[in-house]
Amino acid sequence: ILHGPYGEDGTVQGLLELVNLPYVGAAVVGSAVGMDKAIFKYVMQANNIPIVEWQLVTQGMWHEQKDAVVGNIESKLDYPVFTKPANLGSSVGISKCHNRTELETGIDEALRFDRRVVIEQGINARELEVAVLGNVDPIASIVGEIRPRRSFYDLVSKFMAAPGSEEESELLIPADIGEEMSMQVREMAVQAYKAIDCAGMGRVDLLMEKDSGALYMNEINTIPGFTQISMYPKLWEATGLNYSSLLDRLIDLAIERHDQKSGLRTNFDFEQVA
């Protein structure tokens, strides 16, 4: 129902907190950190969870010292790179850049949607996805893989490609990565989920470098697509939890978290201390 700014970023969650209503999914902090690609990366780094090399560019930096910004990016990263609005979803505003001209265009495009832009090192990777479910003791589904037929898994691949067309991405459940790698992916997914204080549900996206097999955390979608053909419920279906049971479990988790928070004190009696 909700995606992107003012829905997935903690704002609606904050409203629900103020009116004291239980709701499915991450609370304010988990939602905000999951949405903000830059803050998310800082949290991953603080928890020693591997991510690809990246740089952050602000609107002010870009307007005041464009040449210096480009020079710094080119000294730290190799083409191709990806430019992304720090706070957005569904691959909106994302560009794959192979040279300086495309980089400048990509940053300009991303700045149409946010005042901060994340520039990520492009790697030759497989795109893996894991569905995570739970509050205090989250569990991970089996691992799935997306194989885009376009240059990357962009807006067209996700929402606009006709079924059976050359632009439609291939979804593999389970991913063909072996049991040991699958276990590593699932453990990293749960570690990242806990690190941002996610709750209820989250689709964790990872990258696996094709040549080395190295794993990198990409992002957590705290409100993943949820139609019956979306990756999140399909991963749980393949793991043994059907769509109806998954909905029931998510509602139970929402009520459980609300009950836990309702038992906390939100005021302090100074007279009692005195």
Side-chain angles (χ1 to χ4, degrees), residues 23-249:
Y23 55 91
V24 170
V28 176
V29 170
S31 299
V33 175
M35 184 71 182
D36 191 303
K37 294 177 176 62
I39 303 300
F40 178 81
K41 291 181 186 298
Y42 290 134
V43 174
M44 294 301 102
Q45 289 172 326
N47 285 271
N48 298 312
I49 299 173
I51 57 175
V52 298
E53 294 295 323
W54 69 291
Q55 295 288 304
L56 178 65
V57 175
T58 65
Q59 189 177 59
M61 291 165 58
W62 187 241
H63 290 159
E64 294 168 13
Q65 43 187 323
K66 180 180 294 188
D67 290 341
V69 168
V70 171
N72 181 60
I73 292 169
E74 291 182 331
S75 71
K76 302 287 180 58
L77 307 177
D78 298 318
Y79 292 110
V81 298
F82 288 91
T83 54
K84 303 179 177 183
N87 280 278
L88 210 61
S90 303
S91 297
V92 174
I94 295 180
S95 304
K96 185 175 183 179
C97 311
H98 300 85
N99 53 54
R100 177 174 290 202
T101 300
E102 291 182 2
L103 173 62
E104 292 179 355
T105 301
I107 293 174
D108 284 335
E109 173 66 11
L111 284 172
R112 292 178 57 220
F113 300 98
D114 196 9
R115 62 183 181 81
R116 293 154 64 245
V117 178
V118 166
I119 294 90
E120 293 178 350
Q121 177 64 62
I123 62 173
N124 185 24
R126 295 170 66 177
E127 300 192 27
L128 307 177
E129 297 193 348
V130 184
V132 179
L133 177 70
N135 291 340
V136 178
D137 296 307
I139 57 174
S141 71
I142 63 174
V143 183
E145 180 177 1
I146 293 175
R147 292 184 179 173
R149 291 192 172 97
R150 292 169 62 84
S151 61
F152 68 98
Y153 195 40
D154 61 1
L155 183 67
V156 173
S157 301
K158 291 178 179 179
F159 302 113
M160 301 167 67
S165 70
E166 293 183 358
E167 294 184 324
E168 184 185 26
S169 296
E170 185 179 6
L171 306 181
L172 302 178
I173 302 176
D176 184 16
I177 57 175
E179 187 58 35
E180 185 177 346
M181 178 60 74
S182 177
M183 187 63 66
Q184 290 182 39
V185 170
R186 295 170 77 182
E187 288 175 355
M188 189 184 293
V190 170
Q191 184 186 3
Y193 186 92
K194 289 181 175 180
I196 71 165
D197 193 32
C198 201
M201 62 180 175
R203 195 194 72 236
V204 183
D205 300 346
L206 304 95
L207 303 172
M208 185 177 77
E209 196 165 37
K210 291 181 179 179
D211 297 330
S212 66
L215 287 175
Y216 299 96
M217 180 58 54
N218 187 26
E219 63 179 349
I220 297 180
N221 287 272
T222 57
I223 304 185
F226 220 99
T227 69
Q228 289 183 314
I229 61 170
S230 296
M231 197 64 157
Y232 187 87
K234 287 178 72 173
L235 285 168
W236 279 119
E237 185 85 43
T239 307
L241 186 64
N242 66 38
Y243 193 80
S244 178
S245 298
L246 176 59
L247 295 178
D248 289 342
R249 180 65 184 135

